[in-house]
Amino acid sequence: MSTRPNTPPLPIPTVPWQVTGNHWLALPCIHPADGSLHAVGVVHRGARAAIEIAGHSDFVSGSGQPLLRPTITADGERVELAQHGIAWERALNWLPTFTCSAGNLVVRGTIFAPYGRDADMAGAVYAISLENRGAQSVAVTLSLEGRLGHRQQRVRTARPFVDAHQVSRTPDGVLLLEGAALPGVVALALTADSDVGIDVDAEAATFALHRELRVPAGGRSQAAFYLAAGPERDGARATVGVMRRRGWRELLTATRDALQSLEQATGNDEMDRLINRNLLFSYFYSVGRALDDAHYYIVRTRAPWNGRGLTVRDWEALAWTLPAVQLADAGLAREILIRACELHGYAPGQGVHYLDGTLFEPGFSLEGAASYALAVDRYIRDTEDDQIVEEPVVADTLYLSSEDLAARRDRNVPLYTTEVTLSGAPTAQPFTLHGNAVAAQALDVFRRTLDEDTARDVEDPEAVRAALRRHFVVGRAEKTTFASAVDLAGGSSAEDDPHGSALWLPLYEAVDRHDSTYRRTVRGVTDAPRLLAQQCARLMGPESAAVLQWLRRAPLDNGLAAEEVDESGRATGNGGDAALSGLLAWSAWYAVHGLGTAP
């Protein structure tokens, strides 16, 4: 059974990028060497894609001039920002902050995208604090220098915009970055928290913003630059004006308060960092708000070095991203569950989708069709909000899911067929163990949530679970194991599907964790890690404690989930996987809180 993606995985960047953002704006490429921003990304519903603005076409590798670079001139002399090194921390596991020295100045910087009540907007702030440890006051010019060198649209692969880059300034001190063609899809506006000088070279598309300060001996001074995005220049300019009016301190306080409310705890600092880092990455990079319509969309990831891009399967949205979001923010979880039903529920499990629900790659997945019922049930159990089934779009999706599952039932045996596995590869046999375990739990939900007449005709989930025992157990006497897929005619496959592993069976109430056949089956799933999804599945099995220890040590992709990893947990392909980060955060949390595994 092949588990390779249809497109080759993208390599891990050589630069260990600092990453932050909010639902509107992604800042995936903050260079750890000098604090420069190499790219800004937004989601655009009309394009069904990410729109990324950068200083150079090869921004992921850190090549070429950045989009924005902070510089310091002290008493007329330019000082390299990180000439003596730069130390980074992540406040609240999400806000990149750095400290470095420049002569007698100690420089502290924070890059954040505002989030929280009255702060959620398509913008970012670069705040810098200067501490003067010298005996004389210092006249300082803080600058953001940059180049508008590249704009691209990306679903999975990047396509550059062919119109000219346009850099201009307004009379009231706002710098505008956009494309020359109309209508545009995104524009950026930049300004500072006080009087700002702006230099523009329109022909070269380079620019600089300058903020003048005087730092007293033994004292401190602070300044900030604001960046805002809009569908066109007027909207971007209006947003940056609001940011300047509210002030960076107020925006930072609101952001910190909101992030603190999302944090989870296990009692172990290392595990908390792993869970919260990946939870927040999934929260902001798998759930985005489109710049052109302000609605939420669920995607695989907004990180530009992942080949899955801004497409998504139902299962990834509802079984990977949603549980993590629900841990942190039940209100948003409700909103995106309804949103997933609106966008994708018209054809449950039919394949990979663009962010707006348009079918990207057909291929029926049994788990995808069942995922809506499982997501609704999990949401109700965790929040006690059973009114969600009264939402018309949710109810319609559950009925459609039930009908689609019923259409896949075998004529003689209460088991269900699927076309592709969760990896998108064709199934070795038409009936899969994981898919039918998921289907059984979905049937249980249908019998409790659909109207009485319809529920009466829903297949008994216990009959499906009994059929799993009859048709998937192979071997003799005390050496039985579960096959991963069968054809009901004697054919079977023993290869565990990393994305739909037998390890998950107890979660779907198909078997008990202590069942001997289950334990013998998963004992064989001990090959060297290659796909991180399978390691997440192992958290459900008898080796849960060992896997938690492995995850605590695993480098991953600079601490974030990657689709492919090596034996040590170092990312080898398709890093920055935001949906998978959600699965990692939730499964690690569940192993501790649900299964009682010591972190």
Side-chain angles (χ1 to χ4, degrees), residues 70 96-98 107-112 124-130 142 144 193 221-226 248-249 252:
T97 65
F98 66 81
V107 184
R108 296 180 176 90
T110 300
I111 304 107
F112 70 97
V125 178
Y126 206 129
I128 296 177
S129 173
L130 302 172
L142 276 178
L144 270 189
D193 60 338
S221 293
Q222 297 173 317
F225 296 95
Y226 301 111
W248 67 271
R249 293 175 182 85
L252 180 58

PDB file of all heavy atoms in Angstrom, residues 70 96-98 107-112 124-130 142 144 193 221-226 248-249 252:
ATOM      1  N   PRO A  70      15.220  45.565   9.713  1.00  0.00           N
ATOM      2  CA  PRO A  70      15.452  46.659  10.650  1.00  0.00           C
ATOM      3  C   PRO A  70      16.934  47.044  10.668  1.00  0.00           C
ATOM      4  O   PRO A  70      17.812  46.178  10.634  1.00  0.00           O
ATOM      5  CB  PRO A  70      15.021  46.064  11.997  1.00  0.00           C
ATOM      6  CG  PRO A  70      15.244  44.591  11.840  1.00  0.00           C
ATOM      7  CD  PRO A  70      14.974  44.275  10.398  1.00  0.00           C
ATOM      8  N   PRO A  96       7.704  35.964  18.403  1.00  0.00           N
ATOM      9  CA  PRO A  96       9.170  35.994  18.334  1.00  0.00           C
ATOM     10  C   PRO A  96       9.714  37.285  18.949  1.00  0.00           C
ATOM     11  O   PRO A  96       9.289  38.392  18.592  1.00  0.00           O
ATOM     12  CB  PRO A  96       9.463  35.944  16.832  1.00  0.00           C
ATOM     13  CG  PRO A  96       8.185  35.517  16.184  1.00  0.00           C
ATOM     14  CD  PRO A  96       7.089  36.005  17.071  1.00  0.00           C
ATOM     15  N   THR A  97      10.630  37.143  19.877  1.00  0.00           N
ATOM     16  CA  THR A  97      11.288  38.291  20.500  1.00  0.00           C
ATOM     17  C   THR A  97      12.785  38.063  20.461  1.00  0.00           C
ATOM     18  O   THR A  97      13.250  36.926  20.588  1.00  0.00           O
ATOM     19  CB  THR A  97      10.832  38.484  21.949  1.00  0.00           C
ATOM     20  OG1 THR A  97      11.247  37.360  22.735  1.00  0.00           O
ATOM     21  CG2 THR A  97       9.322  38.614  22.047  1.00  0.00           C
ATOM     22  N   PHE A  98      13.552  39.137  20.288  1.00  0.00           N
ATOM     23  CA  PHE A  98      15.011  38.977  20.249  1.00  0.00           C
ATOM     24  C   PHE A  98      15.683  40.051  21.086  1.00  0.00           C
ATOM     25  O   PHE A  98      15.110  41.105  21.377  1.00  0.00           O
ATOM     26  CB  PHE A  98      15.535  39.024  18.808  1.00  0.00           C
ATOM     27  CG  PHE A  98      15.384  40.350  18.115  1.00  0.00           C
ATOM     28  CD1 PHE A  98      16.292  41.393  18.323  1.00  0.00           C
ATOM     29  CD2 PHE A  98      14.336  40.579  17.223  1.00  0.00           C
ATOM     30  CE1 PHE A  98      16.155  42.613  17.682  1.00  0.00           C
ATOM     31  CE2 PHE A  98      14.186  41.798  16.578  1.00  0.00           C
ATOM     32  CZ  PHE A  98      15.100  42.823  16.809  1.00  0.00           C
ATOM     33  N   VAL A 107      19.305  46.170  22.228  1.00  0.00           N
ATOM     34  CA  VAL A 107      18.129  46.219  21.357  1.00  0.00           C
ATOM     35  C   VAL A 107      17.238  45.026  21.647  1.00  0.00           C
ATOM     36  O   VAL A 107      17.703  43.876  21.632  1.00  0.00           O
ATOM     37  CB  VAL A 107      18.545  46.216  19.869  1.00  0.00           C
ATOM     38  CG1 VAL A 107      17.314  46.367  18.977  1.00  0.00           C
ATOM     39  CG2 VAL A 107      19.561  47.311  19.590  1.00  0.00           C
ATOM     40  N   ARG A 108      15.987  45.303  21.900  1.00  0.00           N
ATOM     41  CA  ARG A 108      14.999  44.228  22.101  1.00  0.00           C
ATOM     42  C   ARG A 108      13.868  44.439  21.099  1.00  0.00           C
ATOM     43  O   ARG A 108      13.327  45.540  20.993  1.00  0.00           O
ATOM     44  CB  ARG A 108      14.464  44.229  23.527  1.00  0.00           C
ATOM     45  CG  ARG A 108      15.536  43.932  24.577  1.00  0.00           C
ATOM     46  CD  ARG A 108      14.951  43.933  25.989  1.00  0.00           C
ATOM     47  NE  ARG A 108      15.973  43.563  26.961  1.00  0.00           N
ATOM     48  CZ  ARG A 108      16.781  44.431  27.570  1.00  0.00           C
ATOM     49  NH1 ARG A 108      16.671  45.738  27.292  1.00  0.00           N
ATOM     50  NH2 ARG A 108      17.685  44.020  28.439  1.00  0.00           N
ATOM     51  N   GLY A 109      13.555  43.384  20.376  1.00  0.00           N
ATOM     52  CA  GLY A 109      12.516  43.477  19.349  1.00  0.00           C
ATOM     53  C   GLY A 109      11.424  42.452  19.536  1.00  0.00           C
ATOM     54  O   GLY A 109      11.675  41.353  20.042  1.00  0.00           O
ATOM     55  N   THR A 110      10.230  42.797  19.145  1.00  0.00           N
ATOM     56  CA  THR A 110       9.083  41.882  19.165  1.00  0.00           C
ATOM     57  C   THR A 110       8.325  42.035  17.866  1.00  0.00           C
ATOM     58  O   THR A 110       8.019  43.160  17.445  1.00  0.00           O
ATOM     59  CB  THR A 110       8.141  42.183  20.344  1.00  0.00           C
ATOM     60  OG1 THR A 110       8.845  42.039  21.571  1.00  0.00           O
ATOM     61  CG2 THR A 110       6.937  41.241  20.337  1.00  0.00           C
ATOM     62  N   ILE A 111       8.047  40.908  17.224  1.00  0.00           N
ATOM     63  CA  ILE A 111       7.246  40.914  15.996  1.00  0.00           C
ATOM     64  C   ILE A 111       5.949  40.181  16.300  1.00  0.00           C
ATOM     65  O   ILE A 111       5.978  39.032  16.760  1.00  0.00           O
ATOM     66  CB  ILE A 111       7.976  40.227  14.830  1.00  0.00           C
ATOM     67  CG1 ILE A 111       9.352  40.884  14.599  1.00  0.00           C
ATOM     68  CG2 ILE A 111       7.159  40.291  13.558  1.00  0.00           C
ATOM     69  CD1 ILE A 111      10.503  40.044  15.050  1.00  0.00           C
ATOM     70  N   PHE A 112       4.828  40.818  16.071  1.00  0.00           N
ATOM     71  CA  PHE A 112       3.561  40.148  16.352  1.00  0.00           C
ATOM     72  C   PHE A 112       2.479  40.619  15.401  1.00  0.00           C
ATOM     73  O   PHE A 112       2.526  41.736  14.870  1.00  0.00           O
ATOM     74  CB  PHE A 112       3.131  40.361  17.807  1.00  0.00           C
ATOM     75  CG  PHE A 112       2.698  41.762  18.148  1.00  0.00           C
ATOM     76  CD1 PHE A 112       1.356  42.120  18.156  1.00  0.00           C
ATOM     77  CD2 PHE A 112       3.641  42.734  18.491  1.00  0.00           C
ATOM     78  CE1 PHE A 112       0.953  43.415  18.486  1.00  0.00           C
ATOM     79  CE2 PHE A 112       3.249  44.025  18.822  1.00  0.00           C
ATOM     80  CZ  PHE A 112       1.903  44.368  18.818  1.00  0.00           C
ATOM     81  N   ALA A 124       0.487  43.598  11.211  1.00  0.00           N
ATOM     82  CA  ALA A 124       1.591  43.136  12.040  1.00  0.00           C
ATOM     83  C   ALA A 124       2.323  44.349  12.578  1.00  0.00           C
ATOM     84  O   ALA A 124       2.253  45.449  12.010  1.00  0.00           O
ATOM     85  CB  ALA A 124       2.535  42.243  11.240  1.00  0.00           C
ATOM     86  N   VAL A 125       3.026  44.137  13.678  1.00  0.00           N
ATOM     87  CA  VAL A 125       3.767  45.207  14.337  1.00  0.00           C
ATOM     88  C   VAL A 125       5.200  44.742  14.552  1.00  0.00           C
ATOM     89  O   VAL A 125       5.436  43.604  14.967  1.00  0.00           O
ATOM     90  CB  VAL A 125       3.138  45.579  15.693  1.00  0.00           C
ATOM     91  CG1 VAL A 125       3.954  46.672  16.387  1.00  0.00           C
ATOM     92  CG2 VAL A 125       1.686  46.015  15.517  1.00  0.00           C
ATOM     93  N   TYR A 126       6.144  45.628  14.272  1.00  0.00           N
ATOM     94  CA  TYR A 126       7.551  45.391  14.587  1.00  0.00           C
ATOM     95  C   TYR A 126       7.925  46.436  15.633  1.00  0.00           C
ATOM     96  O   TYR A 126       8.123  47.606  15.322  1.00  0.00           O
ATOM     97  CB  TYR A 126       8.422  45.540  13.340  1.00  0.00           C
ATOM     98  CG  TYR A 126       9.713  44.746  13.391  1.00  0.00           C
ATOM     99  CD1 TYR A 126      10.060  43.901  12.338  1.00  0.00           C
ATOM    100  CD2 TYR A 126      10.583  44.853  14.466  1.00  0.00           C
ATOM    101  CE1 TYR A 126      11.227  43.167  12.371  1.00  0.00           C
ATOM    102  CE2 TYR A 126      11.757  44.124  14.510  1.00  0.00           C
ATOM    103  CZ  TYR A 126      12.074  43.267  13.463  1.00  0.00           C
ATOM    104  OH  TYR A 126      13.228  42.540  13.507  1.00  0.00           O
ATOM    105  N   ALA A 127       7.965  46.026  16.918  1.00  0.00           N
ATOM    106  CA  ALA A 127       8.244  46.943  18.018  1.00  0.00           C
ATOM    107  C   ALA A 127       9.684  46.759  18.473  1.00  0.00           C
ATOM    108  O   ALA A 127      10.156  45.624  18.632  1.00  0.00           O
ATOM    109  CB  ALA A 127       7.292  46.683  19.174  1.00  0.00           C
ATOM    110  N   ILE A 128      10.368  47.863  18.700  1.00  0.00           N
ATOM    111  CA  ILE A 128      11.776  47.825  19.094  1.00  0.00           C
ATOM    112  C   ILE A 128      11.989  48.727  20.307  1.00  0.00           C
ATOM    113  O   ILE A 128      11.523  49.879  20.339  1.00  0.00           O
ATOM    114  CB  ILE A 128      12.692  48.262  17.944  1.00  0.00           C
ATOM    115  CG1 ILE A 128      12.579  47.274  16.770  1.00  0.00           C
ATOM    116  CG2 ILE A 128      14.153  48.370  18.406  1.00  0.00           C
ATOM    117  CD1 ILE A 128      13.381  47.657  15.557  1.00  0.00           C
ATOM    118  N   SER A 129      12.693  48.185  21.311  1.00  0.00           N
ATOM    119  CA  SER A 129      13.055  48.934  22.505  1.00  0.00           C
ATOM    120  C   SER A 129      14.574  49.072  22.553  1.00  0.00           C
ATOM    121  O   SER A 129      15.302  48.094  22.327  1.00  0.00           O
ATOM    122  CB  SER A 129      12.550  48.207  23.758  1.00  0.00           C
ATOM    123  OG  SER A 129      13.025  48.835  24.938  1.00  0.00           O
ATOM    124  N   LEU A 130      15.045  50.274  22.843  1.00  0.00           N
ATOM    125  CA  LEU A 130      16.478  50.555  22.913  1.00  0.00           C
ATOM    126  C   LEU A 130      16.842  50.969  24.330  1.00  0.00           C
ATOM    127  O   LEU A 130      16.234  51.882  24.899  1.00  0.00           O
ATOM    128  CB  LEU A 130      16.858  51.672  21.937  1.00  0.00           C
ATOM    129  CG  LEU A 130      16.533  51.435  20.458  1.00  0.00           C
ATOM    130  CD1 LEU A 130      16.794  52.703  19.662  1.00  0.00           C
ATOM    131  CD2 LEU A 130      17.340  50.276  19.908  1.00  0.00           C
ATOM    132  N   LEU A 142      16.015  54.615  13.759  1.00  0.00           N
ATOM    133  CA  LEU A 142      15.543  53.243  13.504  1.00  0.00           C
ATOM    134  C   LEU A 142      14.924  53.213  12.117  1.00  0.00           C
ATOM    135  O   LEU A 142      14.105  54.072  11.782  1.00  0.00           O
ATOM    136  CB  LEU A 142      14.479  52.842  14.521  1.00  0.00           C
ATOM    137  CG  LEU A 142      14.916  52.296  15.877  1.00  0.00           C
ATOM    138  CD1 LEU A 142      13.682  52.019  16.713  1.00  0.00           C
ATOM    139  CD2 LEU A 142      15.729  51.034  15.712  1.00  0.00           C
ATOM    140  N   LEU A 144      13.323  50.704   8.782  1.00  0.00           N
ATOM    141  CA  LEU A 144      12.916  49.466   8.116  1.00  0.00           C
ATOM    142  C   LEU A 144      13.219  49.657   6.643  1.00  0.00           C
ATOM    143  O   LEU A 144      12.596  50.476   5.968  1.00  0.00           O
ATOM    144  CB  LEU A 144      11.431  49.182   8.304  1.00  0.00           C
ATOM    145  CG  LEU A 144      10.979  48.348   9.501  1.00  0.00           C
ATOM    146  CD1 LEU A 144       9.491  48.018   9.366  1.00  0.00           C
ATOM    147  CD2 LEU A 144      11.782  47.080   9.694  1.00  0.00           C
ATOM    148  N   ASP A 193       4.886  54.620  14.511  1.00  0.00           N
ATOM    149  CA  ASP A 193       4.034  55.085  15.593  1.00  0.00           C
ATOM    150  C   ASP A 193       4.122  56.593  15.816  1.00  0.00           C
ATOM    151  O   ASP A 193       3.361  57.148  16.614  1.00  0.00           O
ATOM    152  CB  ASP A 193       4.373  54.350  16.886  1.00  0.00           C
ATOM    153  CG  ASP A 193       5.814  54.564  17.316  1.00  0.00           C
ATOM    154  OD1 ASP A 193       6.655  54.909  16.469  1.00  0.00           O
ATOM    155  OD2 ASP A 193       6.109  54.372  18.519  1.00  0.00           O
ATOM    156  N   SER A 221      14.199  54.025  25.119  1.00  0.00           N
ATOM    157  CA  SER A 221      13.226  54.601  24.184  1.00  0.00           C
ATOM    158  C   SER A 221      12.636  53.467  23.368  1.00  0.00           C
ATOM    159  O   SER A 221      13.292  52.432  23.138  1.00  0.00           O
ATOM    160  CB  SER A 221      13.883  55.634  23.267  1.00  0.00           C
ATOM    161  OG  SER A 221      14.306  56.759  23.998  1.00  0.00           O
ATOM    162  N   GLN A 222      11.419  53.649  22.935  1.00  0.00           N
ATOM    163  CA  GLN A 222      10.730  52.604  22.186  1.00  0.00           C
ATOM    164  C   GLN A 222      10.073  53.177  20.937  1.00  0.00           C
ATOM    165  O   GLN A 222       9.705  54.356  20.907  1.00  0.00           O
ATOM    166  CB  GLN A 222       9.662  51.929  23.065  1.00  0.00           C
ATOM    167  CG  GLN A 222      10.227  51.218  24.277  1.00  0.00           C
ATOM    168  CD  GLN A 222       9.136  50.710  25.205  1.00  0.00           C
ATOM    169  OE1 GLN A 222       8.166  51.413  25.470  1.00  0.00           O
ATOM    170  NE2 GLN A 222       9.289  49.490  25.697  1.00  0.00           N
ATOM    171  N   ALA A 223       9.961  52.352  19.931  1.00  0.00           N
ATOM    172  CA  ALA A 223       9.296  52.747  18.690  1.00  0.00           C
ATOM    173  C   ALA A 223       8.706  51.505  18.039  1.00  0.00           C
ATOM    174  O   ALA A 223       9.055  50.365  18.386  1.00  0.00           O
ATOM    175  CB  ALA A 223      10.279  53.428  17.742  1.00  0.00           C
ATOM    176  N   ALA A 224       7.814  51.724  17.111  1.00  0.00           N
ATOM    177  CA  ALA A 224       7.186  50.595  16.421  1.00  0.00           C
ATOM    178  C   ALA A 224       6.845  50.979  14.989  1.00  0.00           C
ATOM    179  O   ALA A 224       6.537  52.134  14.691  1.00  0.00           O
ATOM    180  CB  ALA A 224       5.934  50.149  17.159  1.00  0.00           C
ATOM    181  N   PHE A 225       6.909  49.977  14.123  1.00  0.00           N
ATOM    182  CA  PHE A 225       6.467  50.105  12.738  1.00  0.00           C
ATOM    183  C   PHE A 225       5.231  49.228  12.557  1.00  0.00           C
ATOM    184  O   PHE A 225       5.159  48.111  13.087  1.00  0.00           O
ATOM    185  CB  PHE A 225       7.562  49.672  11.767  1.00  0.00           C
ATOM    186  CG  PHE A 225       8.787  50.541  11.812  1.00  0.00           C
ATOM    187  CD1 PHE A 225       9.879  50.184  12.595  1.00  0.00           C
ATOM    188  CD2 PHE A 225       8.858  51.714  11.078  1.00  0.00           C
ATOM    189  CE1 PHE A 225      11.023  50.981  12.642  1.00  0.00           C
ATOM    190  CE2 PHE A 225       9.984  52.517  11.111  1.00  0.00           C
ATOM    191  CZ  PHE A 225      11.073  52.158  11.905  1.00  0.00           C
ATOM    192  N   TYR A 226       4.273  49.719  11.792  1.00  0.00           N
ATOM    193  CA  TYR A 226       3.031  48.998  11.544  1.00  0.00           C
ATOM    194  C   TYR A 226       2.960  48.568  10.081  1.00  0.00           C
ATOM    195  O   TYR A 226       3.332  49.328   9.184  1.00  0.00           O
ATOM    196  CB  TYR A 226       1.827  49.897  11.845  1.00  0.00           C
ATOM    197  CG  TYR A 226       1.775  50.411  13.259  1.00  0.00           C
ATOM    198  CD1 TYR A 226       1.989  51.763  13.525  1.00  0.00           C
ATOM    199  CD2 TYR A 226       1.504  49.560  14.321  1.00  0.00           C
ATOM    200  CE1 TYR A 226       1.933  52.255  14.811  1.00  0.00           C
ATOM    201  CE2 TYR A 226       1.448  50.040  15.621  1.00  0.00           C
ATOM    202  CZ  TYR A 226       1.669  51.390  15.868  1.00  0.00           C
ATOM    203  OH  TYR A 226       1.619  51.870  17.145  1.00  0.00           O
ATOM    204  N   TRP A 248       0.693  50.380  19.529  1.00  0.00           N
ATOM    205  CA  TRP A 248       1.241  49.029  19.577  1.00  0.00           C
ATOM    206  C   TRP A 248       1.184  48.428  20.975  1.00  0.00           C
ATOM    207  O   TRP A 248       1.038  47.194  21.121  1.00  0.00           O
ATOM    208  CB  TRP A 248       2.666  49.012  19.036  1.00  0.00           C
ATOM    209  CG  TRP A 248       3.696  49.739  19.855  1.00  0.00           C
ATOM    210  CD1 TRP A 248       4.058  51.043  19.764  1.00  0.00           C
ATOM    211  CD2 TRP A 248       4.496  49.171  20.896  1.00  0.00           C
ATOM    212  NE1 TRP A 248       5.041  51.342  20.673  1.00  0.00           N
ATOM    213  CE2 TRP A 248       5.330  50.207  21.381  1.00  0.00           C
ATOM    214  CE3 TRP A 248       4.605  47.906  21.449  1.00  0.00           C
ATOM    215  CZ2 TRP A 248       6.254  49.999  22.402  1.00  0.00           C
ATOM    216  CZ3 TRP A 248       5.525  47.689  22.466  1.00  0.00           C
ATOM    217  CH2 TRP A 248       6.336  48.729  22.945  1.00  0.00           C
ATOM    218  N   ARG A 249       1.270  49.236  22.009  1.00  0.00           N
ATOM    219  CA  ARG A 249       1.222  48.691  23.369  1.00  0.00           C
ATOM    220  C   ARG A 249      -0.142  48.077  23.666  1.00  0.00           C
ATOM    221  O   ARG A 249      -0.244  46.992  24.247  1.00  0.00           O
ATOM    222  CB  ARG A 249       1.557  49.786  24.382  1.00  0.00           C
ATOM    223  CG  ARG A 249       3.005  50.280  24.314  1.00  0.00           C
ATOM    224  CD  ARG A 249       3.231  51.436  25.264  1.00  0.00           C
ATOM    225  NE  ARG A 249       4.596  51.950  25.177  1.00  0.00           N
ATOM    226  CZ  ARG A 249       4.991  52.848  24.282  1.00  0.00           C
ATOM    227  NH1 ARG A 249       4.113  53.324  23.389  1.00  0.00           N
ATOM    228  NH2 ARG A 249       6.240  53.272  24.260  1.00  0.00           N
ATOM    229  N   LEU A 252      -0.440  44.872  21.666  1.00  0.00           N
ATOM    230  CA  LEU A 252       0.367  43.787  22.231  1.00  0.00           C
ATOM    231  C   LEU A 252      -0.274  43.224  23.489  1.00  0.00           C
ATOM    232  O   LEU A 252      -0.306  41.994  23.694  1.00  0.00           O
ATOM    233  CB  LEU A 252       1.782  44.283  22.525  1.00  0.00           C
ATOM    234  CG  LEU A 252       2.761  43.252  23.118  1.00  0.00           C
ATOM    235  CD1 LEU A 252       2.895  42.044  22.198  1.00  0.00           C
ATOM    236  CD2 LEU A 252       4.120  43.893  23.368  1.00  0.00           C
TER     237      LEU A 252
END
